[in-house]
Amino acid sequence: MTARRPVTSLALLLPLALAGLAHAQPAPGRPVPAPSAAPSPAAPPPIATSAPGSRGAAAASGSIQDLRRLGDAFADVVDKVAPSVVQIEVAVGDGDTSPLRLFRGGGERRGVGSGVIYSADGAILTNNHVIDGARAITVRLRDGRTFYARLVGRDPSTDLALLRIDARNLPAAPLADSDTARVGSWVVAIGSPFGLGYTVTTGVLSAKGRGGVGVNAVEDYLQTDASINPGNSGGPLVDLDGRVLGINTMIVSRGQGIGLAVPAVMARRVAELLLKTGRVDRTWIGVGLQDLTPELAAAIPSAPPLGALINTVSPSGPASKANLNPGDVVTSILGKPVRDAQDLIREIFLHDAGEAVTLDVNRGGKRYQTKVILESRNEPPPPVLPVQRTASQQPGLGLTVRDAADPRSPPGTKATVVRVNGVATDSPADRAGVKPGDILLEVDGKQQPTAADVEAATRDGRLLLRIQRPNAVLYTAVHR
């Protein structure tokens, strides 16, 4: 096994590289001295110096080495994370006209996205919009293995979803504490933009806590200038330690170099809830919130400079029981500063129903604390996708066949083939792409099968078919 190179700090290497380049060139406008004449006998012996230009050459060589170490540091991060990144292919219905259709394959039958392995036992994090409307989901690992995936659950409010494949001992990617990530630090994005698997882009963490995009109900994004394109969705944004800072989710179309990712702190919370119950049961305190803008802070007597302004209070909600009123400004929760409404919403989401949270509140210039018992919002679950329909809803594999005359045989002969007579909508056969009229050349390795052979082969819930169509021959796997 080859030893892994240590990850070198890019923050140290970049200044060194730039400094080396600066030494490699003469200062602008500085005269180059003419060669001196031979010293007179009375003159002291000349001081031994290195050959002309050797100092600049040495500096240039050092700067090249620094740049190589800089590149090696990026490559080491990719070597560490890439095995945890997966390519996701979805089969969707036609006619998709949603604003996110570019991330789902433009309304066509097939679309490509990305994902990251969350746990070694086959759980995979991705975006909800990558798999929304999916009739079948296929996951391709870095080592080339391909699996059908089932949908554990999804949360449209945060645009996250959790898949599971039947595999073990997978290289799960560690999730970072995105709250402590520093704006301006280097980041690396890995994904499958436009279906180009395992594409790597680099940039910096441009901002944290971005909201107001208007796409999802819960918006608290990391912003990066690392190139993000359709197909990157669901892939990881990682730091230089190879930890996932966020799940890449969208680009801002009206600008360049503005990509957004769901923070790892939120992604971890959603994944935990989906693994536990299959859905996200969001908590609330029963208030309407808005940011305390400078204009509002100036207009409200003795208001603090930052906070979440309460504009409504549900009569029967937790906040009403805790004596919160419209006009109150929440400045912290559990000791953590609240800069705006999103800070409060995000922190509440990270706690379970029944927990008590302490709020610091400013009311008319006076500060006080109150405890609020969180309650569930009891939101309805998202609609069931075709891929979530259980196998028990479909008889067999959803495939009916019959023995038919072989259209390839000479006239007058009685050769037969197995022809697909029907495919049930959203059945395993349908999700595998089998179509009525297909001719089955081979079933589980048996060539020239009969309809009885196909029926017998379906009993174990799996089929490997070699199919002939008018202009193509292909293999497909049907899996219950």
Side-chain angles (χ1 to χ4, degrees), residues 145-222:
R145 287 183 293 166
T146 302
F147 297 87
Y148 284 111
R150 70 177 186 273
L151 181 58
V152 176
R154 63 194 185 107
D155 181 35
S157 293
T158 56
D159 194 24
L160 292 172
L162 194 71
L163 310 177
R164 186 177 289 283
I165 60 175
D166 291 328
R168 297 294 181 269
N169 301 318
L170 298 178
L175 269 61
D177 181 359
S178 53
D179 287 346
T180 62
R182 299 178 62 192
V183 172
S185 58
W186 287 100
V187 292
V188 177
I190 306 176
S192 302
F194 303 106
L196 302 173
Y198 298 96
T199 295
V200 177
T201 57
T202 63
V204 298
L205 182 61
S206 305
K208 296 163 60 177
R210 288 291 191 223
V213 181
V215 175
N216 298 311
V218 179
E219 296 188 334
D220 179 31
Y221 301 116
L222 304 178

Side-chain angles (χ1 to χ4, degrees), residues 94-169:
D94 295 334
D96 180 10
T97 59
S98 75
L100 294 171
R101 62 188 180 278
L102 285 177
F103 290 88
R104 291 199 288 258
E108 299 177 353
R109 184 174 176 80
R110 294 279 169 179
V112 176
S114 306
V116 61
I117 298 173
Y118 177 75
S119 65
D121 60 355
I124 295 171
L125 263 172
T126 187
N127 285 141
N128 175 66
H129 75 253
V130 169
I131 54 84
D132 194 15
R135 302 167 62 193
I137 304 172
T138 304
V139 170
R140 182 181 297 275
L141 303 184
R142 177 65 165 160
D143 61 15
R145 287 183 293 166
T146 302
F147 297 87
Y148 284 111
R150 70 177 186 273
L151 181 58
V152 176
R154 63 194 185 107
D155 181 35
S157 293
T158 56
D159 194 24
L160 292 172
L162 194 71
L163 310 177
R164 186 177 289 283
I165 60 175
D166 291 328
R168 297 294 181 269
N169 301 318

Side-chain angles (χ1 to χ4, degrees), residues 252-439:
V252 178
S253 59
R254 61 181 180 273
Q256 294 183 348
I258 302 178
L260 301 177
V262 179
V265 168
M266 184 178 294
R268 181 185 288 109
R269 173 65 171 168
V270 170
E272 289 173 349
L273 292 173
L274 291 176
L275 284 172
K276 183 178 180 180
T277 65
R279 56 170 296 189
V280 174
D281 189 12
R282 218 172 304 278
T283 52
W284 76 320
I285 62 172
V287 296
L289 296 169
Q290 65 186 88
D291 295 342
L292 182 65
T293 64
E295 294 79 10
L296 288 172
I300 298 175
S302 303
L306 298 172
L309 176 62
I310 296 176
N311 52 37
T312 57
V313 177
S314 175
S316 59
S320 177
K321 300 172 186 176
N323 196 32
L324 289 170
N325 297 323
D328 288 348
V329 178
V330 179
T331 57
S332 75
I333 175 172
L334 295 171
K336 299 180 181 179
V338 172
R339 300 163 300 173
D340 51 32
Q342 190 59 52
D343 277 350
L344 183 56
I345 292 170
R346 180 184 62 173
E347 187 63 31
I348 290 171
F349 172 60
L350 298 178
H351 298 273
D352 294 327
E355 288 189 40
V357 295
T358 301
L359 305 181
D360 288 317
V361 181
N362 184 296
R363 179 183 293 173
K366 297 181 180 180
R367 299 174 60 185
Y368 72 96
Q369 283 190 340
T370 185
K371 286 189 176 181
V372 182
I373 308 299
L374 301 181
E375 294 182 5
S376 171
R377 292 179 63 94
N378 293 317
E379 298 174 85
V384 175
L385 300 183
V387 73
Q388 291 174 287
R389 295 173 184 168
T390 62
S392 62
Q393 293 175 288
Q394 299 288 351
L397 297 176
L399 179 70
T400 58
V401 297
R402 62 184 175 87
D403 294 318
D406 188 348
R408 303 164 299 175
S409 61
T413 61
K414 296 183 178 181
T416 61
V417 293
V418 176
R419 186 183 294 274
V420 176
N421 197 41
V423 178
T425 302
D426 295 330
S427 66
D430 185 29
R431 293 195 294 269
V434 182
K435 299 178 181 296
D438 286 345
I439 293 175

